[in-house]
Amino acid sequence: MELKDDIKNAEVSAEAIAKVKKWNDEYFNNTGKKRKFYCLTMGCQMNAHDSEKIIGILSRMGYDKTESEDDADFIIYNTCCIRENAEEKVFGKLGVLKHLKKLKPDVIIALCGCMMQEDFVIEKIRKSYRYTDIIFGTFNFHKLPELLFTRIETGQQVIDIWKEHTGIVEDTGYIREFPYKASVNIIYGCDNYCTYCIVPYVRGHERSREKEDILNEIRLLAKDGVKEITLLGQNVNSYGKTLNPPVSFAQLLREANEIEGIERIRFMTSHPKDLSDELIYAMRDCDKVCNYLHLPFQAGSDRILEKMNRRYTKEKYLNLINKIRSEIPDIMISTDIIVGFPQETEEDFQETLDVVRKAGFSTAFTFIYSKRTGTPAAVMEGQVDEKTSHDRFNRLLDVLNEGIYRIHQDKIGKTYNVLVEKESSQPGVVTGRSTDNTLIHFNGSTDLIGKTVAVKILENKTFYLIGERI
Ligand code: SAH
Ligand code: SF4
Ligand code: F3S
């Protein structure tokens, strides 16, 4: 996708971009080759969207994209620290890059994203990963051109981490991964402080974008052929509370629903504690808002929910689901679940299984609790041992998968409008999603990518369905 000039930003230094571009142009004039970047993104959709912005900036500086690290002149890892294994992966990959840097000393290695907001990570990089070149965090990725130019001029490692950014960087510009669907930030940061979670410490306090900025961005995307948008935030239900005058998320949805050209509106993530009736009604009334909701419940035991600081009970969560289903009967609901939170007993875990049996989830993202330094849960007594957590995790999957199979079995023989996303791993088969976010494969050509077609469901493969175009 080409970058649109009309969604460019003033805060990304045009001067610094021009300097790096000149440096890249000179290289091209001398060698006949363009410098290439490789970008690896870990973590959630928020990070994926930040990468789209970073890629936009790199392209403006004259870099081409490559899918091969060995072939790249600029390597960037956009990191995640939600669980320990995400961090271990980064350190593992950095070890491999050390060899690459020996072979190709001119390669520039950049690290950014959530993990870089942790003090111990920066210390470790300063000590043991001195061959990395540019390190920045979640609040200042728009400074990449300046940081890169400083690195080029001085040849020194450049580390620039901001502890917080109360403002919002508008209109950085971005290059979308998909032509027909796009993510749109609506609220940054998180103020919920669930006791296990690192996000509030690495993404800062909640900051909502102005409603008109969001709507204008969606209008531009619609003009550019986008059919599906996903409104992004760690807790979209908190959207607009701090704006002057305040705006509700439901209001934003209703106005986004009016934008011509957009066919589907999705959002993530919602926190059960403040999912209002107003929002349920907006979802029910707006024809473009998809009949799908991601509503993490994390744990079924009230005792554990309280220790997690989730601020709802099992009963409240199940009642909420019933209410949503009574207003939007064909809605599909997915969730996030953590097992092995400190002090979780077998009895507590049974409450989690009970929610899974009663709620009827269409998908779930399941995690073994991972201790995050600096969060309250990390120093709680009664950390659960690995063997018990794994055992609960496996039993949870059994119950979940049985439920997912049953939910999908109901779809056999029915017809769904599928927005085709890509060719599946099998040639001649394409894959896409219905409005309720079910993954559907069917025989079809790649010309269908980006189009919405009617597909009748024939077969249930638990995590996806097979159908035929009608
Ligand atoms: N803002 C979203 C979640 C963002 S993180 C929300 O509140 O719903 C995505 C998921 O990662 C969380 O829902 C949780 O299930 C999981 N998670 C977060 N911290 C974790 C930790 N320390 N260990 C294991 N899983 C964790
Ligand atoms: Fe983390 Fe809780 Fe915020 Fe989600 S709502 S990002 S789980 S602190
Ligand atoms: Fe997302 Fe991971 Fe950061 S889940 S907000 S990329 S810690």
Side-chain angles (χ1 to χ4, degrees), residues 121-240:
V121 170
I122 298 301
E123 270 170 43
K124 200 165 161 171
I125 288 171
R126 279 190 207 277
K127 245 201 226 146
S128 313
Y129 300 90
R130 293 210 50 84
Y131 53 91
T132 53
D133 299 285
I134 302 169
I135 290 99
F136 55 100
T138 55
F139 301 110
N140 60 337
F141 66 84
H142 58 289
K143 291 286 175 196
L144 172 59
E146 279 117 304
L147 301 177
L148 176 53
F149 193 68
T150 305
R151 165 63 188 76
I152 294 166
E153 271 195 325
T154 64
Q156 304 288 311
Q157 190 182 47
V158 182
I159 300 183
D160 187 22
I161 307 293
W162 297 7
K163 280 293 145 209
E164 174 81 72
H165 186 214
T166 46
I168 284 178
V169 183
E170 272 304 329
D171 304 338
T172 342
Y174 51 89
I175 295 192
R176 294 194 304 277
E177 195 180 343
F178 302 96
Y180 51 88
K181 66 175 187 178
S183 297
V184 177
N185 291 118
I186 64 165
I187 178 168
Y188 297 96
C190 181
D191 283 340
N192 285 319
Y193 293 94
C194 303
T195 55
Y196 50 81
C197 183
I198 193 93
V199 171
Y201 308 93
V202 297
R203 288 268 171 184
H205 288 296
E206 278 177 12
R207 282 120 42 227
S208 294
R209 285 178 73 193
E210 291 292 338
K211 187 184 73 185
E212 275 315 311
D213 288 335
I214 297 169
L215 294 173
N216 282 336
E217 182 176 335
I218 300 171
R219 285 183 197 112
L220 284 171
L221 291 167
K223 265 196 217 151
D224 201 32
V226 167
K227 292 185 169 178
E228 179 177 301
I229 53 157
T230 302
L231 306 175
L232 289 184
Q234 291 300 349
N235 177 17
V236 291
N237 304 345
S238 287
Y239 172 76

Side-chain angles (χ1 to χ4, degrees), residues 42-44 46-47 79-82 114 198-199 202-203 234:
M42 291 164 226
C44 62
M46 219 79 62
N47 247 22
T79 62
C80 168
C81 56
I82 197 86
C114 294
I198 193 93
V199 171
V202 297
R203 288 268 171 184
Q234 291 300 349

Side-chain angles (χ1 to χ4, degrees), residues 3-61:
L3 185 75
K4 295 289 159 219
D5 276 347
D6 45 3
I7 43 179
K8 265 190 205 159
N9 170 38
E11 282 208 53
V12 182
S13 161
E15 198 190 328
I17 287 192
K19 285 181 187 166
V20 180
K21 177 137 193 331
K22 187 163 166 257
W23 179 71
N24 278 330
D25 287 347
E26 279 166 10
Y27 178 80
F28 177 71
N29 292 338
N30 293 335
T31 63
K33 284 189 285 187
K34 275 189 97 175
R35 285 206 177 92
K36 294 183 200 137
F37 75 85
Y38 170 87
C39 176
L40 175 72
T41 309
M42 291 164 226
C44 62
Q45 290 196 36
M46 219 79 62
N47 247 22
H49 191 43
D50 284 353
S51 284
E52 290 184 325
K53 296 178 186 176
I54 288 167
I55 290 172
I57 294 171
L58 286 167
S59 304
R60 284 161 68 189
M61 292 192 295

